[in-house]
Amino acid sequence: MRGVVLHGPGDVRVEQRDDPEIAAPTDVVIRLAATCVCGSDLWPYRGIEPVRRPSPMGHEYAGIVEEAGSEVRSVKPGDFVIGSFMASDGTCEICQAGYQSRCAHVEPVGANGAQAEYLRVPLADGTLVATHGQPDPALIPSLLAASDVLGTGWFGAVAADVRPGKTVAVVGDGAVGLLAVLAARELGAERIIAMSRHEPRQKLALEFGATDIVTERGDDGVARIKEMTGGYGAHSVIEAVGTQESMMQAIRSTRPGGHVGYVGVAHDVQLPGDELFFAEVHLLGGPAPVRRFLPDLISRIEDRSIGPGKVFDLTLPLDQAADGYRAMDERRAIKTLLRP
Ligand SMILES: [Zn+2]
C-alpha cells in the first residue's frame, strides 16, 4: 500500500509500505475513506520534535473495516468506523472512568501511520465506533474530524466545565481551537470569545458559534478578556496551542474558581508554582479521551446538527501529502484532508 513517511524535517514522502495485517485477535484492519494532517504532525515536520528514523505519519482516520481479528465483537467487515488516536481496551478502571486516552493498555494508533491506504487498529472493541449504516459521503470529513480535532476540542470544553450561561475563552485558532468553539456552543455557553488574529479563522470561529473575537495575545489578550468580563476573567478557558505563552494566557484569563481545559500538546511548558497557587483555578487536560465522546459526536454529525468537517479547507490526494503539510506549515491551510 501507499503511505506517508516523514524522513526528516520538511521531508514528507509517499512511498510503498507493507500492507498491515491482523497481529492480535483484538485488531482490525481498515481501508481508509479519508485521513488528514494534524497540527501536531507539524512539530516533527518543523524539526521541533526530533525525527530519529523514517516514521509513518498520521493518527486520524475513518474508513471501512476490511478484516477483523477473531476476538473482535463490536464491529465487523464492511462497517464504517471512526476511532481515537489512542487505542484503548475499554475495560480497565481508567477507561471505565472515561479517560480512555490513558488506558492501562493504551497503544498510540499513530505508530501505525494512518496517512495511508490501510491501517491496523489495535483493541478494536474499546477503540472504534461504527456509524449507523454507510454514511453519506458528504459527511465523511466531519466524521474524520471526530477522530481527533473535534473530540479534542470537545474534551477541552468539557475539561473547562463549559455549561449554559458561562463565558468561555478559547486560546488558539487551529482546528482544535475552532472546534472547541463549536463544542462550547453545543454545550450551551452564553458567550464564546475566540482569540485569533487570522481573518479566515475568525470567520470560521464566528460560524461555529463565537460571539466575540479578540486579536490580542499574551498579556494584552489577558487584559482584553478581563475587560470584557467585568475584571473577573472567563469562567472557562480552553487552551489549544501547547506553548508556555498560550498556557499562561489561558491560566491568567480564567477567573478564580474557573476552569482551564488544556488540550494543546505541551512543548516545554513550565508552570510557576506561586502563580498557580494564587490563580486558584481548576486545571484539567491531556490527550483527549476521544472515545468517550465518539458515539455522541457521530450522532450529532449524522443528524447534521454539527458540521465540523468545515475545518478542512484543503483536500488533496494522498500522493500530494507533502503539499498538504507545506500548506499547513505556511498557514495557508487550517487543515488538510487526504484522500487515499
Ligand atoms: Zn483501558
Side-chain angles (χ1 to χ4, degrees):
M1 67 164 186
R2 288 163 18 263
V4 174
V5 178
L6 184 69
H7 283 258
D11 186 2
V12 171
R13 301 182 205 171
V14 177
E15 43 192 54
Q16 210 58 36
R17 291 181 48 209
D18 292 339
D19 287 346
E21 289 175 353
I22 301 288
T26 48
D27 287 350
V28 302
V29 171
I30 67 174
R31 180 160 43 87
L32 289 148
T35 178
C36 51
V37 183
C38 185
S40 64
D41 295 334
L42 296 180
W43 294 99
Y45 179 81
R46 289 170 172 158
I48 298 166
E49 273 172 23
V51 184
R52 293 200 174 81
R53 62 188 74 79
S55 309
M57 296 296 288
H59 54 264
E60 296 158 279
Y61 57 96
I64 292 170
V65 176
E66 185 84 1
E67 193 185 349
S70 59
E71 289 174 21
V72 175
R73 297 283 169 268
S74 64
V75 298
K76 59 185 187 308
D79 286 352
F80 192 97
V81 295
I82 299 109
S84 165
F85 52 89
M86 291 296 201
S88 50
D89 60 16
T91 56
C92 77
E93 292 189 20
I94 309 298
C95 284
Q96 292 289 306
Y99 290 87
Q100 293 91 336
S101 47
R102 295 302 318 279
C103 170
H105 301 106
V106 72
E107 289 186 49
V109 178
N112 301 337
Q115 290 162 7
E117 291 179 271
Y118 294 91
L119 174 70
R120 181 179 70 86
V121 181
L123 302 171
D125 282 337
T127 305
L128 296 173
V129 178
T131 54
H132 304 89
Q134 292 300 312
D136 176 346
L139 295 183
I140 289 176
S142 287
L143 293 166
L144 173 65
S147 174
D148 180 359
V149 282
L150 173 62
T152 295
W154 203 277
F155 174 58
V158 168
D161 198 39
V162 172
R163 289 169 196 274
K166 287 199 173 183
T167 295
V168 180
V170 179
V171 180
D173 63 1
V176 171
L178 292 168
L179 290 170
V181 167
L182 181 146
R185 181 193 70 194
E186 292 293 303
L187 294 168
E190 181 172 305
R191 195 169 184 197
I192 304 168
I193 306 165
M195 307 188 83
S196 170
R197 45 174 57 182
H198 302 271
E199 210 235 337
R201 296 170 190 233
Q202 294 171 356
K203 271 173 71 178
L204 198 49
L206 292 168
E207 202 177 318
F208 283 156
T211 54
D212 302 85
I213 302 285
V214 163
T215 54
E216 293 88 344
R217 58 201 286 180
D219 290 343
D220 294 339
V222 173
R224 275 295 288 143
I225 299 290
K226 290 264 172 77
E227 209 177 285
M228 295 166 78
T229 53
Y232 292 121
H235 297 99
S236 300
V237 180
I238 300 153
E239 189 285 326
V241 183
T243 62
Q244 180 71 22
E245 183 189 47
S246 65
M247 192 67 184
M248 294 317 297
Q249 186 178 327
I251 292 169
R252 290 171 182 160
S253 299
T254 308
R255 65 178 60 190
H259 293 72
V260 180
Y262 56 100
V263 290
V265 180
H267 284 80
D268 295 324
V269 175
Q270 309 275 342
L271 300 183
D274 49 351
E275 188 173 345
L276 204 52
F277 184 80
F278 286 103
E280 200 142 3
V281 296
H282 300 76
L283 292 177
L284 175 61
V290 171
R291 178 62 182 78
R292 189 204 309 177
F293 306 108
L294 274 179
D296 176 41
L297 299 179
I298 289 170
S299 293
R300 289 173 193 257
I301 292 164
E302 286 175 336
D303 70 18
R304 292 175 162 77
S305 63
I306 57 173
K310 285 179 187 154
V311 293
F312 294 108
D313 55 350
L314 179 62
T315 296
L316 294 172
L318 179 68
D319 286 334
Q320 292 173 34
D323 295 335
Y325 275 76
R326 200 173 308 118
M328 283 176 64
D329 179 44
E330 295 168 359
R331 289 180 78 87
R332 285 184 282 113
I334 298 171
K335 194 164 176 70
T336 307
L337 184 143
L338 300 171
R339 295 262 183 216

